[in-house]
Coordinates of all heavy atoms in Angstrom, one line a residue:
M8 N 108.4 123.4 109.4 CA 107.4 122.5 109.9 C 107.3 121.3 108.9 O 107.1 120.2 109.2 CB 106.1 123.2 110.0 CG 104.9 122.5 110.4 SD 105.2 122.0 112.1 CE 103.7 121.2 112.5
R9 N 107.3 121.6 107.5 CA 107.1 120.6 106.5 C 108.3 119.7 106.5 O 108.1 118.5 106.3 CB 107.0 121.4 105.2 CG 106.7 120.4 104.1 CD 106.6 121.2 102.7 NE 106.0 120.2 101.7 CZ 105.9 120.6 100.5 NH1 106.2 121.9 100.1 NH2 105.6 119.8 99.6
K10 N 109.5 120.1 106.7 CA 110.7 119.3 106.8 C 110.6 118.4 108.0 O 111.0 117.2 107.8 CB 111.9 120.2 106.9 CG 113.2 119.4 106.6 CD 114.4 120.5 106.6 CE 115.6 119.9 106.0 NZ 116.7 120.8 106.0
A11 N 110.2 118.8 109.1 CA 110.0 118.0 110.3 C 109.0 116.9 110.1 O 109.2 115.7 110.5 CB 109.6 118.8 111.5
L12 N 107.8 117.2 109.4 CA 106.8 116.2 109.1 C 107.4 115.2 108.2 O 107.1 113.9 108.4 CB 105.5 116.9 108.6 CG 104.4 116.0 108.2 CD1 103.9 115.3 109.4 CD2 103.3 116.8 107.5
L13 N 108.1 115.5 107.2 CA 108.7 114.6 106.2 C 109.7 113.7 106.9 O 109.8 112.6 106.6 CB 109.3 115.3 105.0 CG 108.3 116.0 104.1 CD1 109.1 116.7 103.0 CD2 107.4 114.9 103.4
T14 N 110.5 114.3 107.8 CA 111.4 113.4 108.6 C 110.8 112.4 109.5 O 111.2 111.3 109.6 CB 112.3 114.4 109.5 OG1 112.9 115.4 108.7 CG2 113.4 113.6 110.2
V15 N 109.7 112.8 110.1 CA 108.9 111.9 110.9 C 108.3 110.8 110.1 O 108.4 109.6 110.5 CB 107.8 112.6 111.8 CG1 106.9 111.7 112.4 CG2 108.4 113.6 112.7
I16 N 107.8 111.2 109.0 CA 107.3 110.1 108.0 C 108.3 109.2 107.6 O 108.1 107.9 107.5 CB 106.4 110.7 106.8 CG1 105.2 111.4 107.4 CG2 106.1 109.8 105.8 CD1 104.5 112.3 106.4
A17 N 109.4 109.6 107.2 CA 110.6 108.9 106.8 C 111.0 107.9 107.8 O 111.3 106.7 107.6 CB 111.7 109.7 106.2
I18 N 111.1 108.3 109.1 CA 111.6 107.5 110.2 C 110.5 106.4 110.4 O 110.8 105.2 110.7 CB 111.9 108.4 111.4 CG1 113.1 109.2 111.2 CG2 112.0 107.4 112.7 CD1 113.4 110.2 112.3
A19 N 109.2 106.7 110.4 CA 108.1 105.8 110.6 C 108.1 104.8 109.5 O 107.9 103.6 109.8 CB 106.8 106.5 110.7
T20 N 108.4 105.2 108.4 CA 108.4 104.2 107.2 C 109.6 103.2 107.4 O 109.4 102.0 107.2 CB 108.6 104.9 105.9 OG1 107.5 105.8 105.8 CG2 108.6 104.0 104.7
L21 N 110.7 103.7 107.8 CA 111.8 102.8 108.1 C 111.7 101.9 109.2 O 112.1 100.8 109.2 CB 113.1 103.6 108.3 CG 113.7 104.3 107.0 CD1 114.8 105.2 107.4 CD2 114.1 103.4 105.9
Q22 N 111.0 102.3 110.2 CA 110.7 101.5 111.5 C 109.7 100.4 111.0 O 109.8 99.4 111.6 CB 110.2 102.4 112.5 CG 111.2 103.3 113.1 CD 112.3 102.6 113.8 OE1 112.0 101.5 114.4 NE2 113.5 103.1 113.8
A23 N 108.8 100.6 110.2 CA 107.7 99.7 109.8 C 108.2 98.6 108.8 O 107.6 97.6 108.8 CB 106.6 100.5 109.2
A24 N 109.3 98.9 108.2 CA 109.9 97.9 107.2 C 110.4 96.7 108.0 O 111.0 96.8 108.9 CB 111.0 98.6 106.4
T25 N 110.0 95.5 107.4 CA 110.4 94.3 108.0 C 111.6 93.6 107.1 O 111.6 93.8 105.9 CB 109.3 93.2 108.1 OG1 108.8 93.0 106.8 CG2 108.2 93.7 109.0
P26 N 112.6 93.0 107.8 CA 113.6 92.5 107.0 C 113.1 91.4 106.1 O 112.2 90.5 106.5 CB 114.6 91.9 108.0 CG 113.7 91.8 109.2 CD 112.7 92.8 109.2
A27 N 113.7 91.2 104.9 CA 113.3 90.0 104.0 C 113.9 88.7 104.5 O 114.9 88.7 105.1 CB 113.9 90.3 102.7
S28 N 113.1 87.7 104.3 CA 113.6 86.4 104.7 C 114.3 85.7 103.6 O 114.0 85.9 102.4 CB 112.4 85.6 105.3 OG 111.5 85.4 104.2
A29 N 115.2 84.9 103.9 CA 115.9 84.1 102.9 C 115.1 83.0 102.2 O 114.0 82.7 102.8 CB 117.1 83.5 103.6
Q30 N 115.4 82.4 101.2 CA 114.7 81.3 100.6 C 114.6 80.2 101.6 O 115.5 79.8 102.2 CB 115.4 80.8 99.3 CG 114.7 79.8 98.6 CD 115.3 79.4 97.3 OE1 116.2 80.1 96.8 NE2 114.9 78.3 96.7
R31 N 113.4 79.7 101.8 CA 113.1 78.7 102.8 C 113.2 77.2 102.2 O 113.2 76.3 103.0 CB 111.7 78.9 103.3 CG 111.5 80.3 103.9 CD 110.2 80.6 104.3 NE 109.9 79.9 105.5 CZ 108.9 80.2 106.2 NH1 108.0 81.1 105.8 NH2 108.5 79.6 107.3
Y32 N 113.4 77.0 100.9 CA 113.5 75.8 100.4 C 114.9 75.4 99.8 O 115.4 76.2 99.2 CB 112.4 75.6 99.2 CG 111.0 75.8 99.6 CD1 110.4 77.0 99.5 CD2 110.2 74.7 100.1 CE1 109.1 77.3 99.9 CE2 108.9 75.0 100.6 CZ 108.3 76.2 100.4 OH 107.0 76.5 100.8
D33 N 115.3 74.2 100.0 CA 116.5 73.8 99.4 C 116.2 73.1 98.1 O 115.5 72.1 98.1 CB 117.2 72.7 100.4 CG 118.6 72.3 99.9 OD1 118.9 72.7 98.7 OD2 119.3 71.7 100.6
P34 N 116.7 73.6 97.0 CA 116.2 73.1 95.7 C 116.9 71.7 95.3 O 116.6 71.2 94.4 CB 116.7 74.2 94.7 CG 117.8 74.9 95.4 CD 117.5 74.8 96.9
R35 N 117.7 71.2 96.2 CA 118.4 69.9 95.9 C 117.6 68.7 96.2 O 117.8 67.6 95.8 CB 119.7 69.8 96.6 CG 120.7 70.9 96.1 CD 122.0 70.9 96.9 NE 121.7 71.3 98.3 CZ 122.5 71.3 99.3 NH1 123.7 70.7 99.1 NH2 122.1 71.7 100.5
Y36 N 116.5 68.9 97.0 CA 115.7 67.7 97.5 C 114.2 67.9 97.1 O 113.7 69.0 97.2 CB 115.8 67.6 99.0 CG 117.1 67.2 99.4 CD1 118.1 68.1 99.9 CD2 117.6 65.9 99.5 CE1 119.3 67.8 100.4 CE2 118.8 65.5 99.8 CZ 119.7 66.4 100.3 OH 120.9 66.1 100.6
P37 N 113.4 66.8 96.7 CA 112.2 67.0 96.1 C 111.1 67.1 97.2 O 110.0 67.5 96.9 CB 112.0 65.7 95.4 CG 112.9 64.7 96.0 CD 114.1 65.5 96.5
V38 N 111.3 66.8 98.5 CA 110.3 66.9 99.5 C 110.8 67.7 100.8 O 112.0 67.6 101.2 CB 110.0 65.4 100.0 CG1 108.9 65.4 101.1 CG2 109.6 64.6 98.8
C39 N 109.9 68.5 101.3 CA 110.2 69.3 102.4 C 109.2 69.1 103.6 O 108.0 68.8 103.3 CB 110.0 70.9 102.0 SG 111.3 71.5 100.9
M40 N 109.7 69.1 104.8 CA 108.9 69.1 106.0 C 108.6 70.4 106.6 O 109.7 71.2 106.8 CB 109.5 68.1 106.9 CG 108.7 67.9 108.2 SD 109.3 66.7 109.4 CE 110.9 67.4 109.8
H41 N 107.5 70.8 106.7 CA 107.1 72.2 107.3 C 106.8 72.0 108.7 O 105.9 71.3 109.1 CB 105.9 72.7 106.5 CG 105.6 74.1 106.9 ND1 104.5 74.8 106.3 CD2 106.2 75.0 107.7 CE1 104.5 76.0 106.9 NE2 105.4 76.1 107.6
V42 N 107.7 72.5 109.6 CA 107.6 72.2 111.0 C 107.0 73.5 111.7 O 107.5 74.6 111.4 CB 109.0 72.0 111.6 CG1 108.9 71.6 113.2 CG2 109.6 70.7 111.0
Y43 N 106.0 73.4 112.5 CA 105.3 74.4 113.2 C 105.7 74.4 114.7 O 105.7 73.3 115.3 CB 103.7 74.2 113.1 CG 103.3 74.1 111.7 CD1 103.1 72.8 111.2 CD2 103.1 75.2 110.9 CE1 102.6 72.7 109.9 CE2 102.6 75.0 109.6 CZ 102.4 73.8 109.1 OH 102.0 73.6 107.8
T44 N 106.1 75.6 115.2 CA 106.4 75.6 116.6 C 105.5 76.7 117.3 O 105.4 77.7 116.9 CB 108.0 76.0 116.8 OG1 108.2 77.3 116.1 CG2 108.9 75.0 116.3
G45 N 104.9 76.2 118.3 CA 104.0 77.1 119.0 C 104.8 78.1 120.0 O 105.9 77.7 120.5
G46 N 104.3 79.2 120.2 CA 104.9 80.1 121.0 C 104.0 80.6 122.2 O 102.8 80.3 122.2
F47 N 104.5 81.5 123.0 CA 103.7 82.0 124.1 C 102.7 82.9 123.5 O 103.0 83.8 122.7 CB 104.7 82.8 125.1 CG 103.9 83.3 126.3 CD1 103.4 82.5 127.2 CD2 103.8 84.7 126.5 CE1 102.8 83.0 128.3 CE2 103.2 85.2 127.6 CZ 102.7 84.3 128.5
R48 N 101.4 82.7 123.8 CA 100.3 83.6 123.3 C 100.2 83.6 121.8 O 99.9 84.6 121.2 CB 100.4 85.0 123.8 CG 100.3 85.1 125.3 CD 100.2 86.6 125.7 NE 100.1 86.6 127.2 CZ 100.2 87.8 127.8 NH1 100.3 88.8 127.2 NH2 100.1 87.7 129.1
G49 N 100.4 82.4 121.2 CA 100.3 82.3 119.8 C 101.3 82.8 119.0 O 101.2 82.9 117.7
G50 N 102.4 83.2 119.6 CA 103.5 83.8 118.8 C 104.5 82.8 118.3 O 105.8 83.0 118.4
G51 N 104.1 81.8 117.6 CA 105.0 80.7 117.2 C 105.7 81.0 115.9 O 105.4 82.0 115.4
S52 N 106.5 80.2 115.4 CA 107.1 80.3 114.2 C 107.2 79.0 113.4 O 106.6 78.0 113.9 CB 108.6 80.8 114.4 OG 109.3 79.8 115.0
D53 N 107.7 78.9 112.3 CA 107.7 77.8 111.5 C 109.0 77.7 110.7 O 109.6 78.8 110.5 CB 106.5 77.5 110.6 CG 106.3 78.7 109.5 OD1 106.9 79.8 109.8 OD2 105.7 78.5 108.6
W54 N 109.4 76.6 110.2 CA 110.6 76.4 109.5 C 110.4 75.2 108.6 O 109.6 74.3 108.7 CB 111.8 76.4 110.2 CG 111.8 75.4 111.4 CD1 111.3 75.5 112.6 CD2 112.4 74.0 111.4 NE1 111.5 74.4 113.4 CE2 112.1 73.5 112.6 CE3 113.0 73.4 110.4 CZ2 112.5 72.2 112.9 CZ3 113.5 72.1 110.8 CH2 113.1 71.5 112.0
F55 N 111.3 75.1 107.5 CA 111.3 74.0 106.5 C 112.5 73.2 106.6 O 113.6 73.8 106.7 CB 111.1 74.6 105.1 CG 109.7 75.1 104.9 CD1 109.5 76.5 105.1 CD2 108.8 74.4 104.3 CE1 108.2 77.0 104.8 CE2 107.5 74.8 104.0 CZ 107.3 76.2 104.3
D56 N 112.4 71.9 106.6 CA 113.5 71.0 106.5 C 113.4 70.3 105.2 O 112.7 69.4 105.0 CB 113.5 70.0 107.6 CG 114.7 69.0 107.6 OD1 115.6 69.3 106.7 OD2 114.7 68.1 108.4
C57 N 114.2 70.7 104.1 CA 114.1 70.2 102.8 C 115.4 69.2 102.6 O 116.3 69.5 101.9 CB 114.2 71.2 101.7 SG 112.7 72.2 101.8
S58 N 115.3 68.1 103.3 CA 116.4 67.2 103.2 C 115.8 65.7 102.9 O 116.6 64.7 103.4 CB 117.3 67.1 104.4 OG 116.5 66.9 105.6
F59 N 114.7 65.5 102.3 CA 114.0 64.3 102.1 C 113.9 63.9 100.7 O 113.7 64.8 99.8 CB 112.7 64.3 102.8 CG 112.7 64.6 104.2 CD1 112.5 65.9 104.7 CD2 113.1 63.6 105.1 CE1 112.5 66.1 106.0 CE2 113.1 63.9 106.5 CZ 112.8 65.1 107.0
T60 N 114.1 62.7 100.4 CA 114.1 62.2 99.0 C 112.7 61.6 98.6 O 112.4 61.3 97.5 CB 115.1 61.1 98.7 OG1 115.0 60.1 99.6 CG2 116.5 61.7 98.9
S61 N 111.8 61.3 99.6 CA 110.5 60.8 99.3 C 109.5 61.3 100.4 O 109.9 61.7 101.4 CB 110.6 59.3 99.3 OG 110.8 58.7 100.6
L62 N 108.3 61.2 100.0 CA 107.2 61.6 100.9 C 107.2 60.6 102.1 O 106.8 61.0 103.2 CB 105.9 61.6 100.3 CG 105.5 63.0 99.5 CD1 104.2 62.8 98.7 CD2 105.4 64.1 100.4
E63 N 107.3 59.4 101.9 CA 107.3 58.3 103.0 C 108.4 58.6 104.0 O 108.2 58.5 105.2 CB 107.4 57.0 102.3 CG 106.3 56.5 101.6 CD 106.3 57.1 100.1 OE1 107.3 57.5 99.7 OE2 105.2 57.0 99.5
Q64 N 109.6 58.9 103.5 CA 110.7 59.3 104.4 C 110.4 60.5 105.3 O 110.6 60.5 106.5 CB 112.0 59.5 103.6 CG 113.2 59.8 104.4 CD 114.4 60.2 103.5 OE1 114.2 60.7 102.4 NE2 115.6 60.1 104.0
C65 N 109.8 61.6 104.7 CA 109.4 62.7 105.4 C 108.4 62.4 106.4 O 108.4 62.9 107.5 CB 109.0 63.8 104.4 SG 108.5 65.3 105.2
R66 N 107.4 61.7 106.0 CA 106.2 61.3 106.9 C 106.6 60.6 108.1 O 106.1 60.7 109.2 CB 105.1 60.7 106.1 CG 104.4 61.6 105.1 CD 103.3 60.9 104.4 NE 102.7 61.8 103.5 CZ 102.2 61.4 102.3 NH1 102.3 60.2 101.9 NH2 101.7 62.3 101.5
A67 N 107.6 59.6 107.9 CA 108.1 58.9 109.0 C 108.8 59.9 110.0 O 108.7 59.6 111.2 CB 109.1 57.8 108.5
T68 N 109.6 60.8 109.5 CA 110.2 61.7 110.4 C 109.3 62.7 111.1 O 109.5 63.1 112.2 CB 111.3 62.6 109.5 OG1 112.1 61.6 108.9 CG2 112.1 63.5 110.5
A69 N 108.2 63.1 110.4 CA 107.3 64.0 110.9 C 106.3 63.4 111.9 O 105.5 64.1 112.6 CB 106.5 64.7 109.8
S70 N 106.3 62.0 112.0 CA 105.3 61.4 112.8 C 105.5 61.8 114.3 O 106.6 61.8 114.8 CB 105.5 59.8 112.6 OG 104.7 59.2 113.6
G71 N 104.5 62.4 114.9 CA 104.5 62.7 116.3 C 104.9 64.1 116.5 O 104.9 64.7 117.6
L72 N 105.3 64.9 115.4 CA 105.6 66.2 115.4 C 104.4 67.1 114.9 O 103.7 66.6 114.2 CB 106.9 66.6 114.6 CG 108.2 65.7 115.0 CD1 109.3 66.1 114.0 CD2 108.6 66.2 116.4
S73 N 104.6 68.4 115.2 CA 103.6 69.3 114.6 C 104.1 69.7 113.2 O 104.8 70.8 113.1 CB 103.4 70.5 115.5 OG 102.6 71.4 114.9
A74 N 104.1 68.9 112.2 CA 104.6 69.1 110.9 C 103.9 68.5 109.8 O 103.1 67.6 110.1 CB 106.1 68.5 110.9
S75 N 104.1 69.0 108.6 CA 103.5 68.3 107.4 C 104.5 68.2 106.4 O 105.5 69.0 106.3 CB 102.3 69.2 106.9 OG 102.7 70.5 106.5
C76 N 104.3 67.3 105.4 CA 105.3 67.1 104.2 C 104.7 67.6 103.0 O 103.5 67.3 102.7 CB 105.6 65.6 104.3 SG 106.5 65.0 105.6
D77 N 105.4 68.3 102.2 CA 105.0 68.8 100.9 C 106.1 68.7 100.0 O 107.3 68.5 100.2 CB 104.7 70.3 101.1 CG 103.7 70.6 102.1 OD1 102.6 70.0 102.0 OD2 103.9 71.5 102.9
L78 N 105.6 68.6 98.6 CA 106.5 68.6 97.5 C 107.3 69.9 97.4 O 106.7 71.0 97.6 CB 105.9 68.2 96.3 CG 105.3 66.9 96.1 CD1 104.6 66.7 94.8 CD2 106.3 65.8 96.3
N79 N 108.5 69.9 97.2 CA 109.3 71.1 97.1 C 109.0 71.9 95.8 O 109.2 71.4 94.7 CB 110.8 70.8 97.1 CG 111.7 72.0 97.2 OD1 111.3 73.1 97.0 ND2 113.0 71.7 97.5
P80 N 108.5 73.1 95.9 CA 108.1 73.8 94.6 C 109.4 74.3 93.8 O 109.3 74.7 92.6 CB 107.3 75.0 95.0 CG 107.7 75.2 96.5 CD 108.1 73.8 97.0
Y81 N 110.6 74.3 94.4 CA 111.7 74.8 93.8 C 112.7 73.6 93.2 O 113.7 73.8 92.7 CB 112.5 75.6 94.7 CG 111.8 76.8 95.0 CD1 111.2 77.1 96.2 CD2 111.8 77.9 94.1 CE1 110.5 78.2 96.6 CE2 111.0 79.1 94.4 CZ 110.4 79.2 95.6 OH 109.8 80.4 95.9
Y82 N 112.2 72.4 93.5 CA 113.0 71.2 92.9 C 112.8 71.1 91.5 O 111.8 71.1 90.9 CB 112.6 69.9 93.7 CG 113.4 68.7 93.3 CD1 114.7 68.6 93.6 CD2 112.8 67.8 92.4 CE1 115.4 67.5 93.3 CE2 113.5 66.6 92.1 CZ 114.8 66.5 92.5 OH 115.5 65.4 92.2
A83 N 114.0 70.9 90.7 CA 113.9 70.7 89.3 C 113.7 69.3 89.0 O 114.7 68.5 88.9 CB 115.2 71.2 88.7
Y84 N 112.4 68.8 88.8 CA 112.1 67.5 88.5 C 112.6 67.1 87.1 O 112.7 68.0 86.3 CB 110.6 67.2 88.6 CG 110.2 67.3 90.0 CD1 109.5 68.5 90.5 CD2 110.2 66.2 90.8 CE1 109.1 68.5 91.8 CE2 109.7 66.3 92.1 CZ 109.2 67.5 92.7 OH 108.7 67.4 93.9
D85 N 113.0 66.0 86.9 CA 113.4 65.6 85.5 C 112.1 65.5 84.6 O 111.3 64.6 84.8 CB 114.1 64.1 85.6 CG 115.3 64.1 86.4 OD1 116.0 65.1 86.4 OD2 115.6 63.0 86.9
Q86 N 112.1 66.3 83.7 CA 111.0 66.4 82.7 C 111.4 65.9 81.4 O 112.5 66.3 81.0 CB 110.4 67.8 82.8 CG 110.0 68.2 84.1 CD 109.2 69.6 84.0 OE1 108.9 70.1 82.9 NE2 108.8 70.1 85.1
P87 N 110.6 65.1 80.8 CA 111.0 64.7 79.4 C 111.1 65.8 78.4 O 110.4 66.8 78.5 CB 109.8 63.7 79.1 CG 108.7 64.2 79.9 CD 109.2 64.7 81.2
Q88 N 112.0 65.6 77.5 CA 112.2 66.6 76.4 C 111.0 66.5 75.6 O 110.4 65.5 75.2 CB 113.4 66.3 75.7 CG 114.7 66.4 76.4 CD 114.9 67.9 76.9 OE1 114.6 68.9 76.2 NE2 115.5 68.1 78.0
P89 N 110.5 67.7 75.1 CA 109.4 67.7 74.1 C 109.8 67.0 72.8 O 110.9 67.1 72.4 CB 109.1 69.2 73.9 CG 110.3 69.9 74.3 CD 111.0 69.1 75.3
R90 N 108.8 66.3 72.2 CA 109.1 65.7 71.0 C 109.5 66.7 69.9 O 108.8 67.8 69.8 CB 107.9 64.9 70.5 CG 107.7 63.7 71.4 CD 106.7 62.7 70.9 NE 105.6 63.3 70.1 CZ 104.6 62.6 69.6 NH1 104.5 61.4 69.8 NH2 103.7 63.3 68.9
R91 N 110.3 66.3 69.1 CA 110.7 67.2 68.0 C 109.7 67.1 66.8 O 109.3 66.0 66.4 CB 112.1 66.8 67.5 CG 112.7 67.8 66.5 CD 114.2 67.5 66.3 NE 114.7 68.7 65.6 CZ 115.9 69.0 65.6 NH1 116.8 68.2 66.1 NH2 116.3 70.1 64.9
R92 N 109.3 68.2 66.4 CA 108.3 68.2 65.2 C 109.0 68.7 64.0 O 109.8 69.6 64.0 CB 107.1 69.2 65.6 CG 106.4 68.7 66.7 CD 105.2 69.6 66.9 NE 104.5 69.2 68.1 CZ 103.3 69.4 68.3 NH1 102.5 70.0 67.5 NH2 102.7 69.0 69.4
Y93 N 108.8 67.9 62.9 CA 109.4 68.2 61.7 C 108.4 68.9 60.7 O 107.2 68.6 60.7 CB 109.9 66.9 61.0 CG 110.9 66.2 61.8 CD1 110.7 65.1 62.6 CD2 112.3 66.6 61.7 CE1 111.6 64.5 63.4 CE2 113.2 65.9 62.4 CZ 112.9 65.0 63.3 OH 113.9 64.4 64.0
K94 N 108.9 69.9 60.0 CA 108.0 70.5 59.1 C 107.8 69.6 57.8 O 108.6 68.9 57.3 CB 108.8 71.8 58.5 CG 108.7 73.0 59.4 CD 109.3 74.2 58.7 CE 109.1 75.4 59.5 NZ 109.6 76.6 58.9
Q95 N 106.5 69.7 57.4 CA 106.2 68.9 56.2 C 106.3 69.8 55.0 O 105.8 70.9 55.0 CB 104.8 68.3 56.3 CG 104.6 67.3 57.4 CD 103.2 66.7 57.6 OE1 102.3 67.3 56.9 NE2 103.1 65.7 58.3
A96 N 107.0 69.3 54.0 CA 107.0 70.0 52.8 C 105.9 69.7 51.8 O 105.5 68.5 51.6 CB 108.4 69.7 52.0
Y97 N 105.3 70.6 51.3 CA 104.0 70.5 50.4 C 104.4 70.6 49.0 O 105.2 71.3 48.5 CB 103.0 71.5 50.8 CG 102.3 71.3 52.1 CD1 102.7 72.1 53.2 CD2 101.4 70.3 52.4 CE1 102.2 71.9 54.3 CE2 100.9 70.2 53.6 CZ 101.2 71.0 54.6 OH 100.6 70.8 55.9

């Protein structure tokens, strides 16, 4: 009886697991358009298009669509190097 219960719990756990989704952002571009698609009875989905170099370009493309433009959190922006500090001798 105990073995059957553990088997049922194991099967239920495997059935409840959802597949992992891939990374949704392309790290090569600084701006992403988040597109929302409606579905039957609210079962819509969404996706990202990270192929824009500026917010203005993205907003022009998103005009008239159910979409928004955001900065890409995975884009490696050019950041200035920290200033070098020298030790002072006393």
Side-chain angles (χ1 to χ4, degrees):
M8 179 72 175
R9 186 174 186 186
K10 193 174 193 180
L12 179 62
L13 289 176
T14 304
V15 169
I16 291 173
I18 291 173
T20 303
L21 291 174
Q22 293 292 330
T25 58
S28 62
Q30 182 176 344
R31 301 172 78 167
Y32 298 96
D33 186 354
R35 296 176 292 173
Y36 294 96
V38 180
C39 294
M40 180 172 62
H41 188 181
V42 182
Y43 308 95
T44 57
F47 185 67
R48 295 189 183 173
S52 65
D53 61 338
W54 51 277
F55 288 88
D56 179 9
C57 295
S58 60
F59 300 99
T60 56
S61 69
L62 277 172
E63 292 79 18
Q64 180 188 22
C65 179
R66 288 179 182 148
T68 305
S70 178
L72 299 174
S73 177
S75 64
C76 296
D77 300 312
L78 295 178
N79 187 349
Y81 295 101
Y82 181 71
Y84 291 96
D85 295 332
Q86 297 190 5
Q88 295 293 327
R90 291 190 328 183
R91 189 170 194 162
R92 297 184 182 206
Y93 296 97
K94 283 187 173 179
Q95 292 181 348
Y97 293 104

